[in-house]
Structures are given as C-alpha cells and as structure tokens.
Amino acid sequence: MTEPQASGKKPFLYVVVCAAGVAGDVGKLITAAQEANWDVGVVATPQGLGFIDAEAVEAQTVGSCCGPRPVRA
C-alpha cells in the first residue's frame, strides 16, 4: 500500500473474501489498511460469508465519508 494522494481524498481498497481459511483474518487486513489511511470495503462470495463475521466487518469498515459499509455479496 502507498500513502494517500495529497488531495486529501483517501484511497479506497476493496477486499474480496472467498471461502478460504485465511478469510477469518480479514479484520487484520482492514486494520492495516486503515492504519495506512485507506478507506476499505468488503465484497464476499456467498461461500465466503460463512468464513467471516459480516456484522463485525461492517462495523470495522466505517468510511471517512459515511457510516458502516455493508459487506457486499
């Protein structure tokens, strides 16, 4: 990840979650991106939804411009 542009607008990272064991750690990736000043949204495959806590991910992905971002499937 790189630092955001000087324009003040945060870059946006889409995380795609599929049915894999590592999907359960998506919160760590979201945290790392947010610490680097990125906004984050999550798209999950239908099977990937079974590997994450969608409500927790939504609560974690509050954007700088709006409220929680729903997990898209």
Side-chain angles (χ1 to χ4, degrees):
M1 288 183 273
T2 59
E3 292 301 314
Q5 302 291 329
S7 67
K9 184 177 178 183
K10 288 185 176 185
F12 193 88
L13 174 67
Y14 280 103
V15 178
V16 179
V17 176
C18 63
V22 64
D25 289 332
V26 70
K28 293 179 182 179
L29 176 58
I30 294 168
T31 298
Q34 289 171 333
E35 288 174 352
N37 206 31
W38 286 65
D39 279 337
V40 182
V42 176
V43 177
T45 64
Q47 293 82 9
L49 288 172
F51 285 74
I52 64 172
D53 179 347
E55 288 184 14
V57 169
E58 287 177 11
Q60 191 177 3
T61 57
V62 174
S64 61
C65 67
C66 49
R69 299 182 193 281
V71 173
R72 306 288 183 188

Coordinates of all heavy atoms in Angstrom, one line a residue:
M1 N 0.8 -1.2 0.0 CA 0.0 0.0 0.0 C 0.9 1.2 0.0 O 1.9 1.3 0.6 CB -0.9 0.0 1.2 CG -2.0 -1.0 1.2 SD -3.1 -1.0 2.6 CE -2.2 -2.0 3.7
T2 N 0.4 2.2 -0.6 CA 1.1 3.5 -0.7 C 0.4 4.6 0.1 O -0.8 4.4 0.5 CB 1.3 4.0 -2.1 OG1 0.0 4.2 -2.7 CG2 2.1 3.0 -3.0
E3 N 1.0 5.6 0.4 CA 0.4 6.7 1.1 C -0.7 7.4 0.2 O -0.5 7.4 -1.0 CB 1.4 7.7 1.5 CG 2.3 7.2 2.6 CD 1.6 6.7 3.9 OE1 0.8 7.5 4.4 OE2 1.9 5.6 4.4
P4 N -1.7 8.0 0.8 CA -2.8 8.6 0.0 C -2.2 9.8 -0.7 O -1.2 10.4 -0.4 CB -3.7 9.1 1.1 CG -3.4 8.4 2.3 CD -2.0 8.0 2.2
Q5 N -3.0 10.2 -1.7 CA -2.7 11.4 -2.6 C -2.7 12.6 -1.7 O -3.5 12.7 -0.7 CB -3.7 11.5 -3.7 CG -3.7 10.3 -4.6 CD -2.4 10.1 -5.4 OE1 -1.8 11.1 -5.8 NE2 -2.1 8.9 -5.7
A6 N -2.0 13.7 -2.1 CA -2.0 14.9 -1.4 C -3.3 15.7 -1.5 O -3.6 16.6 -0.7 CB -0.9 15.8 -2.0
S7 N -4.3 15.3 -2.3 CA -5.5 15.9 -2.5 C -6.4 15.8 -1.2 O -7.4 16.5 -1.1 CB -6.3 15.4 -3.7 OG -6.7 14.0 -3.4
G8 N -6.0 15.0 -0.3 CA -6.8 14.8 1.0 C -7.8 13.7 0.8 O -8.4 13.3 1.8
K9 N -8.1 13.3 -0.3 CA -9.0 12.2 -0.5 C -8.3 10.8 -0.3 O -7.3 10.6 -0.8 CB -9.6 12.2 -2.0 CG -10.7 11.1 -2.2 CD -11.2 11.3 -3.6 CE -12.2 10.2 -3.8 NZ -12.8 10.2 -5.2
K10 N -8.9 10.0 0.6 CA -8.3 8.7 0.9 C -8.5 7.8 -0.2 O -9.5 7.7 -0.9 CB -9.0 8.1 2.1 CG -8.7 8.8 3.4 CD -9.4 8.0 4.6 CE -9.0 8.6 5.9 NZ -9.5 7.7 7.0
P11 N -7.5 6.9 -0.4 CA -7.6 5.9 -1.4 C -8.6 4.8 -0.9 O -8.8 4.8 0.3 CB -6.2 5.3 -1.6 CG -5.5 5.7 -0.3 CD -6.1 7.0 0.2
F12 N -9.1 4.0 -1.8 CA -10.1 3.0 -1.4 C -9.6 1.6 -1.7 O -9.2 1.4 -2.9 CB -11.5 3.3 -2.0 CG -12.6 2.5 -1.4 CD1 -13.3 3.1 -0.3 CD2 -13.0 1.3 -1.9 CE1 -14.3 2.3 0.2 CE2 -14.0 0.6 -1.3 CZ -14.7 1.1 -0.3
L13 N -9.7 0.7 -0.8 CA -9.3 -0.7 -1.0 C -10.5 -1.6 -0.9 O -11.3 -1.5 0.1 CB -8.3 -1.1 0.1 CG -7.9 -2.6 0.0 CD1 -7.1 -2.9 -1.2 CD2 -7.1 -2.9 1.3
Y14 N -10.8 -2.3 -2.0 CA -11.8 -3.3 -2.0 C -11.1 -4.6 -1.6 O -10.2 -5.1 -2.3 CB -12.5 -3.5 -3.4 CG -13.5 -2.5 -3.7 CD1 -13.2 -1.4 -4.5 CD2 -14.8 -2.5 -3.1 CE1 -14.2 -0.5 -4.8 CE2 -15.7 -1.6 -3.4 CZ -15.4 -0.5 -4.3 OH -16.4 0.4 -4.6
V15 N -11.6 -5.3 -0.6 CA -11.1 -6.6 -0.2 C -12.2 -7.6 -0.7 O -13.4 -7.5 -0.3 CB -11.0 -6.7 1.3 CG1 -10.5 -8.1 1.8 CG2 -10.0 -5.6 1.8
V16 N -11.7 -8.6 -1.4 CA -12.6 -9.7 -1.9 C -12.4 -10.9 -1.0 O -11.2 -11.4 -1.0 CB -12.4 -10.0 -3.4 CG1 -13.3 -11.1 -3.8 CG2 -12.6 -8.7 -4.2
V17 N -13.4 -11.4 -0.4 CA -13.3 -12.5 0.5 C -14.0 -13.8 -0.1 O -15.1 -13.7 -0.5 CB -14.0 -12.2 1.9 CG1 -13.9 -13.5 2.8 CG2 -13.3 -11.0 2.5
C18 N -13.2 -14.8 -0.2 CA -13.8 -16.1 -0.7 C -13.7 -17.2 0.4 O -13.3 -16.9 1.5 CB -13.0 -16.5 -2.0 SG -11.3 -16.9 -1.7
A19 N -14.1 -18.4 0.1 CA -14.2 -19.4 1.0 C -12.8 -20.0 1.2 O -12.4 -21.0 0.6 CB -15.2 -20.5 0.6
A20 N -12.0 -19.4 2.1 CA -10.7 -19.9 2.4 C -10.4 -19.6 3.9 O -10.9 -18.6 4.4 CB -9.6 -19.2 1.6
G21 N -9.6 -20.5 4.5 CA -9.4 -20.3 6.0 C -8.9 -19.0 6.4 O -9.2 -18.5 7.4
V22 N -8.0 -18.4 5.5 CA -7.5 -17.1 5.9 C -8.5 -15.9 5.9 O -8.3 -14.9 6.4 CB -6.3 -16.7 4.9 CG1 -6.8 -16.6 3.5 CG2 -5.6 -15.5 5.3
A23 N -9.7 -16.2 5.3 CA -10.7 -15.2 5.3 C -11.1 -14.7 6.7 O -11.5 -13.6 6.9 CB -12.0 -15.7 4.5
G24 N -11.0 -15.6 7.7 CA -11.4 -15.2 9.0 C -10.5 -14.1 9.6 O -10.9 -13.5 10.6
D25 N -9.4 -13.9 9.0 CA -8.5 -12.8 9.4 C -8.6 -11.5 8.6 O -7.7 -10.6 8.7 CB -7.0 -13.3 9.4 CG -6.7 -14.3 10.4 OD1 -7.3 -14.3 11.5 OD2 -5.8 -15.1 10.2
V26 N -9.7 -11.4 7.9 CA -9.9 -10.2 7.1 C -9.8 -8.9 7.9 O -9.4 -7.8 7.5 CB -11.2 -10.2 6.3 CG1 -12.4 -10.1 7.1 CG2 -11.2 -9.2 5.2
G27 N -10.2 -9.0 9.2 CA -10.2 -7.8 10.1 C -8.8 -7.3 10.3 O -8.6 -6.1 10.4
K28 N -7.8 -8.2 10.2 CA -6.4 -7.7 10.3 C -6.0 -6.9 9.1 O -5.3 -5.9 9.2 CB -5.4 -8.9 10.5 CG -5.6 -9.7 11.8 CD -4.7 -10.9 11.8 CE -4.9 -11.7 13.1 NZ -4.0 -12.9 13.2
L29 N -6.4 -7.3 7.9 CA -6.1 -6.6 6.7 C -6.8 -5.2 6.7 O -6.2 -4.2 6.4 CB -6.5 -7.4 5.5 CG -6.4 -6.7 4.1 CD1 -4.9 -6.3 3.9 CD2 -6.9 -7.6 3.0
I30 N -8.1 -5.2 7.2 CA -8.8 -4.0 7.3 C -8.1 -3.0 8.2 O -7.9 -1.8 7.9 CB -10.3 -4.2 7.7 CG1 -11.0 -5.0 6.6 CG2 -11.0 -2.9 8.0 CD1 -12.3 -5.6 7.1
T31 N -7.7 -3.5 9.4 CA -7.0 -2.7 10.3 C -5.7 -2.1 9.7 O -5.4 -0.9 9.9 CB -6.7 -3.5 11.6 OG1 -7.9 -3.9 12.2 CG2 -5.9 -2.6 12.6
A32 N -4.9 -2.9 9.1 CA -3.6 -2.5 8.5 C -3.9 -1.4 7.4 O -3.2 -0.4 7.4 CB -2.9 -3.7 7.9
A33 N -4.9 -1.6 6.6 CA -5.2 -0.6 5.6 C -5.7 0.7 6.2 O -5.3 1.8 5.8 CB -6.3 -1.1 4.6
Q34 N -6.5 0.6 7.2 CA -7.0 1.9 7.9 C -5.9 2.6 8.6 O -5.8 3.8 8.6 CB -8.1 1.5 8.9 CG -9.4 1.1 8.1 CD -10.5 0.5 9.1 OE1 -10.2 0.0 10.1 NE2 -11.7 0.7 8.7
E35 N -4.9 1.8 9.2 CA -3.8 2.5 9.8 C -2.9 3.2 8.8 O -2.2 4.1 9.1 CB -3.0 1.4 10.6 CG -3.7 1.0 11.9 CD -3.0 -0.1 12.6 OE1 -2.0 -0.7 12.0 OE2 -3.4 -0.5 13.7
A36 N -3.0 2.7 7.5 CA -2.2 3.4 6.5 C -3.1 4.5 5.8 O -2.7 5.0 4.7 CB -1.8 2.4 5.4
N37 N -4.2 4.8 6.4 CA -5.1 5.9 6.0 C -5.9 5.6 4.7 O -6.1 6.4 3.9 CB -4.3 7.2 5.8 CG -5.2 8.4 6.0 OD1 -6.2 8.4 6.8 ND2 -4.9 9.5 5.3
W38 N -6.3 4.3 4.6 CA -7.1 3.9 3.5 C -8.6 3.7 4.0 O -8.8 3.3 5.1 CB -6.6 2.6 2.9 CG -5.4 2.7 2.1 CD1 -4.2 3.0 2.5 CD2 -5.3 2.4 0.7 NE1 -3.3 3.0 1.4 CE2 -3.9 2.6 0.3 CE3 -6.2 2.0 -0.3 CZ2 -3.4 2.4 -1.0 CZ3 -5.7 1.8 -1.6 CH2 -4.3 2.0 -1.9
D39 N -9.5 3.9 3.1 CA -10.9 3.5 3.4 C -11.0 2.1 2.8 O -10.4 1.8 1.8 CB -11.9 4.4 2.7 CG -12.2 5.7 3.5 OD1 -12.0 5.6 4.8 OD2 -12.7 6.7 2.9
V40 N -11.9 1.3 3.4 CA -12.0 -0.1 3.0 C -13.4 -0.6 2.8 O -14.3 -0.2 3.6 CB -11.3 -1.0 4.1 CG1 -11.3 -2.5 3.6 CG2 -9.8 -0.6 4.3
G41 N -13.6 -1.4 1.8 CA -14.9 -2.0 1.6 C -14.7 -3.5 1.4 O -13.6 -3.9 0.9
V42 N -15.7 -4.3 1.7 CA -15.5 -5.8 1.6 C -16.6 -6.3 0.7 O -17.8 -6.0 0.8 CB -15.5 -6.5 2.9 CG1 -15.5 -8.0 2.8 CG2 -14.4 -6.0 3.8
V43 N -16.2 -7.2 -0.3 CA -17.1 -8.0 -1.1 C -16.8 -9.4 -0.8 O -15.6 -9.8 -0.8 CB -16.8 -7.7 -2.6 CG1 -17.7 -8.5 -3.5 CG2 -16.9 -6.2 -2.9
A44 N -17.8 -10.2 -0.5 CA -17.6 -11.6 -0.2 C -18.4 -12.5 -1.1 O -19.5 -12.1 -1.5 CB -18.1 -11.9 1.3
T45 N -17.8 -13.6 -1.5 CA -18.6 -14.6 -2.3 C -19.6 -15.2 -1.3 O -19.5 -15.1 -0.1 CB -17.7 -15.7 -2.8 OG1 -17.1 -16.4 -1.7 CG2 -16.6 -15.1 -3.7
P46 N -20.7 -15.8 -1.9 CA -21.7 -16.4 -1.0 C -21.1 -17.4 0.0 O -21.4 -17.4 1.2 CB -22.6 -17.1 -2.0 CG -22.6 -16.2 -3.2 CD -21.1 -15.8 -3.3
Q47 N -20.1 -18.2 -0.5 CA -19.5 -19.1 0.4 C -18.5 -18.4 1.4 O -18.3 -18.9 2.5 CB -18.7 -20.2 -0.4 CG -19.5 -21.1 -1.2 CD -19.9 -20.5 -2.6 OE1 -19.5 -19.4 -2.9 NE2 -20.9 -21.1 -3.2
G48 N -17.9 -17.3 1.0 CA -17.0 -16.6 1.8 C -17.7 -16.0 3.0 O -17.1 -15.8 4.1
L49 N -19.0 -15.7 2.9 CA -19.8 -15.2 4.0 C -19.7 -16.1 5.2 O -19.8 -15.6 6.4 CB -21.2 -14.9 3.6 CG -21.4 -13.7 2.7 CD1 -22.9 -13.6 2.2 CD2 -21.0 -12.4 3.4
G50 N -19.6 -17.4 5.0 CA -19.5 -18.3 6.1 C -18.2 -18.3 6.8 O -18.1 -18.9 7.9
F51 N -17.2 -17.6 6.3 CA -15.9 -17.6 7.0 C -15.7 -16.3 7.7 O -14.6 -16.1 8.4 CB -14.8 -17.7 5.9 CG -14.7 -19.1 5.4 CD1 -15.6 -19.6 4.5 CD2 -13.6 -19.9 5.7 CE1 -15.5 -20.9 4.0 CE2 -13.5 -21.2 5.3 CZ -14.4 -21.7 4.4
I52 N -16.6 -15.3 7.6 CA -16.4 -14.0 8.3 C -17.6 -13.7 9.2 O -18.7 -14.2 9.0 CB -16.1 -12.9 7.3 CG1 -17.3 -12.7 6.4 CG2 -14.9 -13.1 6.5 CD1 -17.2 -11.4 5.5
D53 N -17.4 -12.8 10.1 CA -18.5 -12.2 10.9 C -18.9 -10.9 10.1 O -18.2 -9.8 10.3 CB -18.0 -11.9 12.3 CG -19.1 -11.3 13.2 OD1 -20.1 -10.8 12.6 OD2 -18.8 -11.3 14.4
A54 N -19.9 -11.0 9.3 CA -20.2 -9.8 8.4 C -20.6 -8.6 9.2 O -20.2 -7.5 8.9 CB -21.4 -10.2 7.5
E55 N -21.3 -8.8 10.4 CA -21.6 -7.6 11.2 C -20.4 -6.9 11.8 O -20.3 -5.7 11.8 CB -22.6 -8.0 12.3 CG -24.0 -8.4 11.8 CD -24.9 -8.7 13.0 OE1 -24.6 -8.4 14.1 OE2 -26.0 -9.2 12.7
A56 N -19.4 -7.7 12.2 CA -18.2 -7.1 12.7 C -17.4 -6.4 11.6 O -16.8 -5.3 11.9 CB -17.3 -8.2 13.4
V57 N -17.3 -7.0 10.4 CA -16.6 -6.4 9.3 C -17.3 -5.1 9.0 O -16.6 -4.1 8.7 CB -16.6 -7.3 8.1 CG1 -16.1 -6.6 6.9 CG2 -15.7 -8.5 8.4
E58 N -18.6 -5.1 8.9 CA -19.4 -3.8 8.6 C -19.0 -2.7 9.6 O -18.8 -1.6 9.3 CB -20.9 -4.1 8.5 CG -21.3 -4.8 7.3 CD -22.8 -5.1 7.3 OE1 -23.5 -4.6 8.1 OE2 -23.2 -5.9 6.4
A59 N -19.0 -3.1 10.9 CA -18.7 -2.1 11.9 C -17.3 -1.6 11.8 O -17.0 -0.4 12.1 CB -18.9 -2.8 13.3
Q60 N -16.4 -2.4 11.3 CA -15.0 -2.1 11.2 C -14.7 -1.2 10.0 O -13.8 -0.4 10.0 CB -14.1 -3.3 11.2 CG -12.7 -3.0 11.3 CD -11.8 -4.3 11.3 OE1 -12.3 -5.4 11.2 NE2 -10.5 -4.1 11.5
T61 N -15.6 -1.2 9.0 CA -15.3 -0.5 7.8 C -16.1 0.8 7.7 O -16.6 1.1 6.6 CB -15.6 -1.4 6.5 OG1 -17.0 -1.8 6.6 CG2 -14.7 -2.6 6.5
V62 N -16.2 1.5 8.7 CA -16.8 2.8 8.7 C -16.0 3.7 7.9 O -14.8 3.9 8.2 CB -17.0 3.4 10.1 CG1 -17.5 4.8 10.1 CG2 -17.9 2.5 10.9
G63 N -16.5 4.3 6.8 CA -15.8 5.2 5.9 C -15.6 6.6 6.5 O -16.3 7.0 7.3
S64 N -14.7 7.3 5.9 CA -14.4 8.7 6.3 C -15.6 9.6 5.8 O -15.7 10.7 6.3 CB -13.1 9.2 5.7 OG -13.1 9.1 4.3
C65 N -16.3 9.1 4.9 CA -17.4 9.9 4.3 C -18.8 9.5 4.8 O -19.8 10.2 4.5 CB -17.4 9.9 2.8 SG -17.8 8.2 2.2
C66 N -18.9 8.4 5.4 CA -20.2 7.8 5.7 C -20.1 6.8 6.9 O -19.1 6.6 7.4 CB -20.8 7.2 4.5 SG -19.6 6.0 3.7
G67 N -21.3 6.2 7.1 CA -21.3 5.2 8.2 C -20.8 3.9 7.8 O -20.0 3.8 6.8
P68 N -21.1 2.8 8.5 CA -20.6 1.5 8.2 C -20.9 1.1 6.7 O -22.0 1.4 6.2 CB -21.4 0.6 9.1 CG -21.8 1.4 10.2 CD -22.0 2.8 9.6
R69 N -20.0 0.4 6.1 CA -20.1 -0.1 4.7 C -20.6 -1.5 4.8 O -19.9 -2.4 5.4 CB -18.8 0.0 4.0 CG -18.2 1.4 3.9 CD -17.0 1.3 3.1 NE -16.2 2.6 3.2 CZ -16.5 3.7 2.5 NH1 -17.5 3.7 1.7 NH2 -15.8 4.8 2.6
P70 N -21.8 -1.8 4.2 CA -22.2 -3.2 4.3 C -21.3 -4.1 3.5 O -20.7 -3.7 2.5 CB -23.6 -3.1 3.6 CG -23.6 -1.9 2.8 CD -22.6 -0.9 3.5
V71 N -21.2 -5.4 3.9 CA -20.5 -6.4 3.2 C -21.3 -6.7 2.0 O -22.5 -7.1 2.1 CB -20.2 -7.6 4.0 CG1 -19.6 -8.7 3.2 CG2 -19.4 -7.3 5.2
R72 N -20.8 -6.6 0.8 CA -21.5 -6.9 -0.5 C -21.2 -8.4 -0.8 O -20.1 -8.9 -0.6 CB -21.0 -6.0 -1.6 CG -21.0 -4.6 -1.3 CD -22.4 -4.1 -1.3 NE -22.4 -2.6 -1.1 CZ -23.5 -2.0 -0.9 NH1 -24.7 -2.6 -0.9 NH2 -23.5 -0.7 -0.8
A73 N -22.2 -9.0 -1.3 CA -22.1 -10.4 -1.8 C -22.6 -10.6 -3.2 O -23.4 -9.8 -3.7 CB -22.8 -11.4 -0.8

